[in-house]
Amino acid sequence: MPIPIKQTFTYAVTEAEAAFIKRGMRVAVSFGKTKMYTALVYAIHQEAPSLYEAKEINQILDETPIVTERQLAHWEWISNYYMCALGDVYRAALPSAFLLESETVVYANAAFADESVLTDEEFLIYEALQHQSQLTIHQVADILGKKKVLPVISEMLQKEVLIVKEEIYEQYVPKMVKYLRIQQQYASDTGLEALLVSLSRAQKQREAVLGYFQLASTKKPIKVKALEESAGVSSAVIKALVEKGVFELYEIQTDRIQFDGSTQALKELNSYQEVALEEIEASFKEKEIVLLHGITSSGKTEVYTKLIEKVLETGKQVLFLLPEIALTTQIISRLERYFGDKISVFHSKYSMNERVEVWMNVLQQKPKAQIILGARSSVLLPFSNLGLIVVDEEHETSYKQFEPAPRYHARDTAMVLAHLHQAKTVLGSATPSLESFYNTEQQKYGLVSLNRRFGNVQLPKMELIDIKEKHRKKQMKGHFSDRLLALITEALEAKEQVILFQNRRGFSPVVECTTCGVAPQCPNCDVSLTYHKFKNELRCHYCNYQRAMPHNCAACGSNSLDTKGFGTEQLELELKALYPDHQIGRMDLDTTRGKHGYQKIISAFESREIDILVGTQMLSKGLDFDNVSLVGILNADTLLNFPDFRAHERSYQMLVQVAGRAGRSKKQGNVAIQTFNPYHQILQQVTTTDYTAMYKEQLQERWQYQYPPYHRLIKFTLKHKDYQKVDMGVQWLAKALEAVYGDQVLGPTAPVVSRVRNQFIKQLTLKIKPNQSLKATKQQIEKIQNTFFSVAAFRPIRLIIDVDAQ
Ligand code: ADP
Ligand code: ZN
Ligand code: ZN
């Protein structure tokens, strides 16, 4: 059952059904009093359950299995390793259209028009949806006067008459490119002459107009970007002309998911890439897994494509995993250029129909699904013949799912999947996780390094700016040191772009009363609210609570509320004042929330409509821009001071990755890091890109304090709205674990934000020794968990077990 219950359930089938049914097929069954679920056939047997009467199944939903034997074996591993129900994995794996249940809500698909394809029953439902906007499966059953309606719904989903609730996403994100044309009245010679006279004192604007007519002679549509480049003018000049009514802007949608049919040959590798490729292949002779440690912009992607090409020749499938956020059109279109329609993309932002389609294509080994490019959940697809898995940016923490179960790590889960298929895995990163690098030292994985940037562009020049001193010498303007401003100005003058990184969104993290020192708190969470200037409101980043910015302090009544610290929004405002003639863009959770938000900003930056892009860590994720010569980090200290044993490793990874966006294509770029603490080890290691030094030092600490990769961690999180209850529960659990594991138990502790959405949170961590049996430990934990829930007072507590917690 697709529910978080560990056991399986037995249902009765007729003899005819038994002859037809197979493991991996779906059946509709009723559960509890009224619920109906889509269950998966797990075993066919002849033993009647002893504790309950087996109900009959409602309906068989598939002609052939849609889940494979290998998949089931993989799911079993996930459920054992990550300590969750098999049903949790089943639910996470299947596109929701495959998991209809009695509460599922269906809507009419507005795009559907051809009523002639509908059967009588289908027409009844279709008609009902013309009168009301939605129907539950129960209501459909009432309309049709029968219980077995899932097949009808399935068929209607296939015909695209209906959609189910979560399909609110667009099929794909259209990419818009900006063009311009001159207004009609200036197209004639006399009109143009008059215009040029009127612009005689605006030299740059004149040049733009003249440049336009030069380009116009080719009779092709003119891209804004092309005019800026050929006439040597900034986007502000074009904007002024648009405002004067000289130019008119328009957009053309360029499709990217729709593949246009022409592919290119793979790029020739340079000699370093060639050697890396040979080393990977040699390593694969002995090992299943190889780590490709290649600095940013060394051309790892091109090396992967060569590996992929060879695997495709053998007729096998390839899985290319990326962290969700990096799944931009950049990488999709890059791979599509080489492999054309052999690629299918799979991630949660895709519509239900597309996900169902990919599922079936993978299952049936269709030519379209030879390469799956996907985020985390694509490791759960029904591969039948995998040859290679690529895990790009393997250090990314977003590979670990936290909520809901299964709390799996896609990288580790992928390696198990590869093993089941006897396939190979290549992990790639410029900043490998300590765990993976450690595994290469242990000879578990092969290691291949790529230490040159493609085209021999040097890694950016890094410099640390001591802002403590800059403050003392009064050389700061707002949050910018004079040095950083000089670098920005220099880059802008050279018509290059700038990325500025600040790990905080909003205007300022905290609003504080300067009279009494109290900061407005979220009523639902134990955290201060963040000020968002744009809407003049306070927001909670944990539960999305929002309220207008108050005029007075709630504690003392004075009107001395002050904004402290700084976030992306404030930087954007400061920059607008400092560089009024340039375009400033912002990329953070707030500006990328909309459907196309993320893509819009990236496209605008790519087409150079934005000169300076300010953003949070979203900026560090594998983007490839060719005109960025400067990356500035506003304050490295907030990263370093995060209370987590991985904070230093993470800081190193994030800073090196952000720095890697600079100077990728032509000349060496610059990176400037502002900090109060320029002698911090990690910052020294970042500026020299000394991964080995970082690795050795961190590893030493992990050994000393007994953390991964030496010890494994299992984290227990307890939540309840009654503080007493959580506290009692966590004390009990701590004692029970300590009785067996002594000082391997850490806690109880409260997380930094100890109440979220009115739920109090307490945590415990169990450290598992290198030679301790994982299996036995998990069995022991399960025993303790069962006893825990047999105490009536603890039953309402939510207990989350997170294996290999990040
Ligand atoms: P990485 O993934 O290691 O950061 P990329 O694969 O994105 O690096 O490569 C960086 C840039 O260099 C990209 O723009 C890519 O197109 C280019 N590049 C890499 N290898 C080659 C090659 N062999 N021939 C031509 N261009 C290449
Ligand atoms: Zn809150
Ligand atoms: Zn006050």
Side-chain angles (χ1 to χ4, degrees), residues 19-39:
F20 180 77
I21 210 164
K22 290 195 182 69
R23 218 162 104 92
M25 284 185 184
R26 291 169 307 145
V27 288
V29 297
S30 56
F31 187 74
K33 283 211 176 69
T34 55
K35 281 217 165 195
M36 187 152 54
Y37 280 115
T38 300

Side-chain angles (χ1 to χ4, degrees), residues 102 124 168 216 286 328 331 337 354 451 454 459 503 525 574 580 613 639 707 759:
S102 41
L124 282 176
I168 46 171
E286 294 158 24
T328 60
I331 184 87
R337 223 175 299 139
E354 280 171 306
N451 295 320
F454 179 75
L459 275 176
N503 202 27
C525 314
E574 286 183 16
L613 184 59
L639 288 173
Y707 277 111
Q759 304 266 316

Side-chain angles (χ1 to χ4, degrees), residues 557-576:
S558 82
N559 59 356
S560 55
L561 287 175
D562 185 27
T563 53
K564 285 199 166 176
F566 61 110
T568 42
E569 199 179 336
Q570 184 169 22
L571 291 179
E572 185 189 6
L573 281 181
E574 286 183 16
L575 285 165
K576 277 186 176 151

Side-chain angles (χ1 to χ4, degrees), residues 229-245:
E229 268 175 21
S230 74
V233 298
S234 72
S235 55
V237 172
I238 307 281
K239 202 172 149 220
L241 286 166
V242 171
E243 277 161 11
K244 281 187 185 169

Side-chain angles (χ1 to χ4, degrees), residues 32 92 105 133 160-161 195 261 269 274 340 344 390 458 483 643 762:
V105 176
S133 64
E160 301 191 3
V161 190
L195 174 63
L269 296 186
E274 199 64 61
S344 291
V390 177
Q458 296 211 308
R483 176 64 187 149
K762 289 276 183 179

Side-chain angles (χ1 to χ4, degrees), residues 357-470:
E357 212 177 282
V358 175
W359 183 284
M360 295 315 286
N361 288 344
V362 172
L363 182 67
Q364 294 158 6
Q365 287 197 63
K366 290 272 173 67
K368 261 174 103 171
Q370 276 179 276
I371 306 171
I372 297 298
L373 184 58
R376 191 164 63 207
S377 61
S378 47
V379 295
L380 303 174
L381 284 169
F383 295 99
S384 42
N385 192 15
L386 257 184
L388 174 72
I389 302 183
V390 177
V391 186
D392 197 17
E393 312 288 358
E394 68 84 30
H395 64 280
E396 269 290 330
T397 48
S398 60
Y399 276 131
K400 180 75 157 63
Q401 163 137 330
F402 177 64
E403 191 71 356
R407 297 182 173 78
Y408 64 107
H409 197 303
R411 174 194 63 212
D412 302 347
T413 305
M415 297 189 289
V416 174
L417 178 68
H419 184 77
L420 286 169
H421 285 263
Q422 289 161 334
K424 303 292 185 188
T425 304
V426 52
L427 310 176
S429 176
T431 54
S433 62
L434 244 55
E435 282 87 344
S436 294
F437 205 79
Y438 179 74
N439 279 326
T440 68
E441 289 200 323
Q442 298 297 303
Q443 308 296 325
K444 278 195 199 148
Y445 309 165
L447 172 65
V448 174
S449 307
L450 204 45
N451 295 320
R452 294 226 187 198
R453 282 196 146 183
F454 179 75
N456 268 332
V457 183
Q458 296 211 308
L459 275 176
K461 258 186 263 155
M462 307 241 198
E463 83 181 62
L464 293 169
I465 302 172
D466 183 347
I467 45 176
K468 202 195 242 163
E469 187 172 306
K470 293 284 180 191

Side-chain angles (χ1 to χ4, degrees), residues 714-732:
I714 297 184
K715 194 179 216 168
F716 302 82
T717 303
L718 290 81
K719 292 185 182 179
H720 195 266
K721 60 182 190 305
D722 177 353
Y723 179 83
Q724 295 299 331
K725 217 180 225 9
V726 196
D727 196 48
M728 265 167 47
V730 83
Q731 298 294 351
W732 185 97

Side-chain angles (χ1 to χ4, degrees), residues 267-268 273 297-302 334 454 624 664:
K267 295 201 165 108
E268 288 285 314
Q273 289 169 317
S297 204
S298 55
K300 295 184 286 296
T301 316
E302 307 298 334
R334 210 164 140 189
F454 179 75
D624 187 24
R664 286 175 75 86

